[in-house]
Amino acid sequence: MKKIQIAIDGPAGAGKSTVARRVAKELGYLYIDTGAMYRALTYLALKKKINLNDGAALKRLLDQTSIQLVQTDDGQEVYVDHENVTSEIRSREVSNAVSEVATHKEVRMEMVNRQRMLAQDGGVVMDGRDIGTNVLKDATLKIYLSASVEERARRRCQELQQKGTNTDLAQVKKEIELRDRLDSERDTAPLKKARDAIEIDTTHVTVDEVTKQILSLVKERD
Ligand code: DC
C-alpha cells in the first residue's frame, strides 16, 4: 500500500484531532496536529508578553523557537524548545488568543514551510484549517469535518470538565463562534472547504464511524 498524504480540516471542536489520530494509528502514519504548532507559539508569546497584533515580532519569536510534536502511545506531546507544553497549550487563555496569532501572514508562511517539511515523505495525516486548501494542496485524500456549533460547544465543555475546569456552555459556545469567525474571515488562508474535499458532518456520528468512513476512502484510493 503506498503511503499517501491525508488532509483533515474543519472548525474547532468538529473532532479533527481525535479522528486524525485514530486514522493515523490504524494506518501506521504520522499524525501532525498543525493547530498545536500555532498554540505552542501563542503560549510562548503570552509568556513573553509579546503583542499579539505584531506579526513581525511573532515571526521573530517563531524563528528562534523549535516546536516539536512527539508521538506517544496515547497521542502526542508538544515541546517548545525543550519545555513540555502539552497541557499548557490547551488552556482557555491560549485557545482564546491563538486565532489572532494565526492571522499573521509571516507567521503562517513559516508554519506552512515547517508543516510541508514534516509531510514530505507521505504517510501522514495532517489536521488544521488550511491543509487541503494550502499546505497540502496535492493531498490524495481531503476531508472536511463539520458539526453544529451547539454540538462542538458541548464537546469542548465536556473536554474542559474532564480536566477539572468549570465551564459554562453558553460562554464556550460564544468563544467557539468567535474563533470560527476569526478563522474563516482572515485574509491569509482562511478556514474553507477545499473544492475536492469530502465533507463529513460529525454532529450525530461517533468517532468510530467517522474513522471507518475515512479508512474506507483511503482504501478506495489505493
Ligand atoms: O485545531 P486547534 O483548535 O488546536 O487550532 C487552534 C487555532 O490555530 C485555530 O483556532 C486556528 C489556528 N490554526 C490555523 O490557523 N491553521 C491551521 N492549519 C491550524 C490551526
Side-chain angles (χ1 to χ4, degrees):
M1 215 168 160
K2 64 178 186 293
K3 293 206 152 196
I4 63 167
Q5 292 177 333
I6 302 172
I8 303 186
D9 290 297
K16 295 184 303 291
S17 57
T18 315
V19 167
R21 192 176 301 129
R22 288 274 293 275
V23 170
K25 198 167 181 184
E26 290 288 331
L27 295 170
Y29 278 21
L30 181 65
Y31 164 54
I32 303 167
D33 174 358
T34 62
M37 297 170 73
Y38 289 97
R39 284 173 180 272
L41 177 64
T42 304
Y43 163 80
L44 198 61
L46 289 171
K47 190 169 150 187
K48 291 186 180 279
K49 301 203 183 333
I50 287 175
N51 180 355
L52 304 188
N53 274 320
D54 188 344
L58 290 166
K59 166 71 164 57
R60 275 197 301 279
L61 177 65
L62 180 57
D63 284 341
Q64 298 157 10
T65 306
S66 90
I67 299 173
Q68 274 181 302
L69 306 177
V70 179
Q71 316 275 319
T72 63
D73 280 346
D74 35 69
Q76 169 196 254
E77 285 182 348
V78 182
Y79 290 82
V80 160
D81 293 327
H82 294 292
E83 184 187 354
N84 185 337
V85 295
T86 311
S87 50
E88 286 79 356
I89 63 165
R90 304 288 159 195
S91 72
R92 217 148 156 198
E93 198 193 1
V94 170
S95 296
N96 291 335
V98 62
S99 288
E100 191 178 350
V101 169
T103 56
H104 299 291
K105 193 174 181 183
E106 51 275 73
V107 167
R108 301 200 67 84
M109 279 171 67
E110 173 59 19
M111 289 293 192
V112 170
N113 283 341
R114 294 186 189 194
Q115 290 155 7
R116 286 186 179 144
M117 222 122 79
L118 291 170
Q120 66 188 358
D121 297 330
V124 291
V125 183
M126 186 178 278
D127 82 357
R129 303 292 189 287
D130 60 337
I131 312 306
T133 54
N134 180 37
V135 183
L136 304 179
K137 276 201 197 90
D138 298 326
T140 311
L141 177 62
K142 298 181 186 178
I143 304 288
Y144 187 88
L145 291 186
S146 60
S148 71
V149 68
E150 288 75 18
E151 174 61 14
R152 292 188 286 124
R154 197 191 60 74
R155 289 176 191 168
R156 268 291 136 96
C157 262
Q158 207 173 29
E159 246 173 56
L160 289 166
Q161 270 158 6
Q162 275 163 6
K163 284 187 210 151
T165 316
N166 230 347
T167 51
D168 171 45
L169 183 62
Q171 180 59 29
V172 171
K173 185 173 165 226
K174 259 197 213 150
E175 290 169 2
I176 286 196
E177 280 169 336
L178 175 64
R179 206 130 72 86
D180 283 357
R181 208 167 56 240
L182 289 171
D183 292 345
S184 11
E185 290 177 5
R186 68 173 175 238
D187 291 334
T188 313
L191 166 66
K192 206 168 68 185
K193 176 179 169 292
R195 260 187 306 151
D196 49 349
I198 295 163
E199 180 162 356
I200 303 175
D201 182 341
T202 71
T203 309
H204 305 291
V205 189
T206 65
V207 169
D208 268 356
E209 286 168 317
V210 180
T211 306
K212 259 198 209 140
Q213 205 174 330
I214 296 176
L215 289 172
S216 76
L217 289 166
V218 172
K219 251 199 177 147
E220 278 173 21
R221 275 153 185 77
D222 191 33

